[in-house]
Amino acid sequence: MFQLRWIVTQQQDGMLVREFLKQQHISKTALTDIKFQGGRIEVNDMPVTVRYVLKAGDEVCVTFPPEQKSAHMVAQPIPLSIVYEDDYVIVINKPPHMATIPSREHPQGTLANALLHHYERQHLQTTVHVVTRLDRDTSGLVLVAKHRHVHHLLSEQQKQGQVKRRYEAVCHGYVTPLVGTIDAPIGRKGESIIEREVRLDGQRAVTHYEVLQQKNEMTHVSIQLETGRTHQIRVHFSYIGHPLVGDDLYGGSRAQIDRQALHSCELTFFHPFLEKTMTFQAPLPHDMARLL
């Protein structure tokens, strides 16, 4: 089971457990789960309710209930390229052609199936909580929380723009200017479930880029997202007339690579338990490196 412990400070003396846990960013949903799904709250090793009044020096321990994976989620022994792992998070360098989570088109063989097998080997009773999802054919760094509460904390960071991701892509043609920003709203295209397009009634979408090199009628770009819309990079570069190489959904050619040439190369986030900013990098995969 997942546990967290704190020592009550002088400033927190006289605080109700409910208010103390709110201060620790434990949500109302998590408190409900703790109460009704087999978790517990203890002060100095004695069970208490959320109405208990704390004193300075008390040790508060919260034990979260065990997590159950969905019935359709199957653990599979698929190799993982683990960049970093601790008790709270895991950072994976996802290969291309692997979906992040199961879907109707790809019910197995996903990153989630591989992670479940990894967790089983560690005897962790948890399920998969992806913080930074990638498209099936996009490679690179994926941040995963090992517990629902950790996912909650990192998702709050993400909403505030504190989880940073840098990408590299290869586009058709020679992109100009060499440093620029694409600021164009993105929405669903017609009745399509998958395809997106730039449209006036779409959600605000901002992409910053810098050209790294240009050769063979292609441009290698470094990209920083200000917003995180579905297919944002792919739609934006198609919109300015430079679709990603291999991205046939948005006008790219697959003559030289069998997927969109897009890679999540850098990930930065503030670790809520180690209390420090962490940055990880992943080099370009072979298929994209060959293009250059």
Side-chain angles (χ1 to χ4, degrees):
M1 288 188 182
F2 184 69
Q3 285 187 333
L4 293 175
R5 294 177 182 271
W6 305 269
I7 300 296
V8 178
T9 66
Q10 198 66 49
Q11 290 78 13
Q12 295 163 330
D13 187 85
M15 189 178 279
L16 294 177
V17 166
R18 182 194 295 112
E19 294 306 310
F20 177 85
L21 293 180
K22 184 179 179 182
Q23 201 176 76
Q24 311 310 319
H25 306 289
I26 293 183
S27 66
K28 287 182 180 178
T29 304
L31 281 177
T32 302
D33 284 347
I34 291 163
K35 185 174 181 180
F36 297 108
Q37 302 297 327
R40 63 184 182 273
I41 302 170
E42 296 169 303
V43 175
N44 303 326
D45 298 323
M46 297 293 291
V48 298
T49 71
V50 292
R51 295 183 295 278
Y52 183 85
V53 180
L54 295 167
K55 297 188 292 293
D58 282 346
E59 183 184 64
V60 180
C61 176
V62 171
T63 302
F64 292 84
E67 294 188 21
Q68 304 297 327
K69 66 181 178 67
S70 303
H72 68 276
M73 291 276 279
V74 180
Q76 291 181 285
I78 301 167
L80 285 171
S81 176
I82 298 172
V83 177
Y84 173 80
E85 182 175 15
D86 61 26
D87 291 339
Y88 309 101
V89 300
I90 182 167
V91 177
I92 305 291
N93 185 10
K94 185 185 82 65
H97 312 301
M98 174 188 271
T100 304
I101 60 172
S103 63
R104 190 165 49 194
E105 294 80 16
H106 306 285
Q108 294 188 21
T110 72
L111 182 64
N113 297 115
L115 280 166
L116 284 177
H117 181 261
H118 180 68
Y119 293 159
E120 283 185 2
R121 290 178 60 197
Q122 294 181 325
H123 307 291
L124 288 177
Q125 192 167 358
T126 187
T127 189
V128 177
H129 301 283
V130 178
V131 181
T132 59
R133 192 182 302 183
L134 292 178
D135 293 340
R136 179 176 179 268
D137 285 347
T138 300
S139 57
L141 298 171
V142 177
L143 174 60
V144 181
K146 284 189 168 182
H147 186 269
R148 187 181 294 116
H149 176 60
V150 182
H151 184 264
H152 165 70
L153 296 177
L154 291 170
S155 294
E156 289 301 307
Q157 278 191 42
Q158 207 168 20
K159 288 175 189 173
Q160 296 161 19
Q162 295 169 346
V163 177
K164 306 285 188 185
R165 285 187 285 175
R166 189 170 66 82
Y167 294 81
E168 289 185 28
V170 181
C171 325
H172 286 289
Y174 296 141
V175 175
T176 56
L178 299 183
V179 177
T181 295
I182 307 166
D183 187 343
I186 291 175
R188 205 181 288 275
K189 184 175 182 178
E191 300 299 313
S192 175
I193 297 172
I194 299 170
E195 204 169 349
R196 303 298 197 270
E197 65 179 354
V198 169
R199 49 189 303 153
L200 290 175
D201 62 350
Q203 293 178 293
R204 181 171 180 264
V206 181
T207 302
H208 306 286
Y209 73 86
E210 179 180 354
V211 170
L212 299 175
Q213 62 173 313
Q214 295 180 321
K215 61 192 295 188
N216 304 327
E217 295 296 325
M218 291 181 288
T219 299
H220 178 201
V221 287
S222 171
I223 299 161
Q224 190 83 50
L225 295 184
E226 188 173 315
T227 56
R229 309 301 173 207
T230 300
H231 295 180
Q232 179 172 320
I233 293 170
R234 300 166 64 189
V235 171
H236 269 173
F237 279 90
S238 177
Y239 173 68
I240 65 169
H242 297 284
L244 302 194
V245 177
D247 189 4
D248 55 357
L249 182 63
Y250 293 108
S253 166
R254 287 206 166 197
Q256 294 165 287
I257 189 172
D258 64 351
R259 54 108 175 187
Q260 66 261 11
L262 182 60
H263 178 69
S264 174
C265 61
E266 188 172 283
L267 169 71
T268 300
F269 65 96
F270 181 77
H271 197 301
F273 297 99
L274 301 185
E275 297 186 340
K276 64 179 182 179
T277 299
M278 307 187 80
T279 297
F280 301 97
Q281 295 175 327
L284 279 183
H286 297 308
D287 60 350
M288 283 181 66
R290 274 202 308 270
L291 289 174
L292 304 166

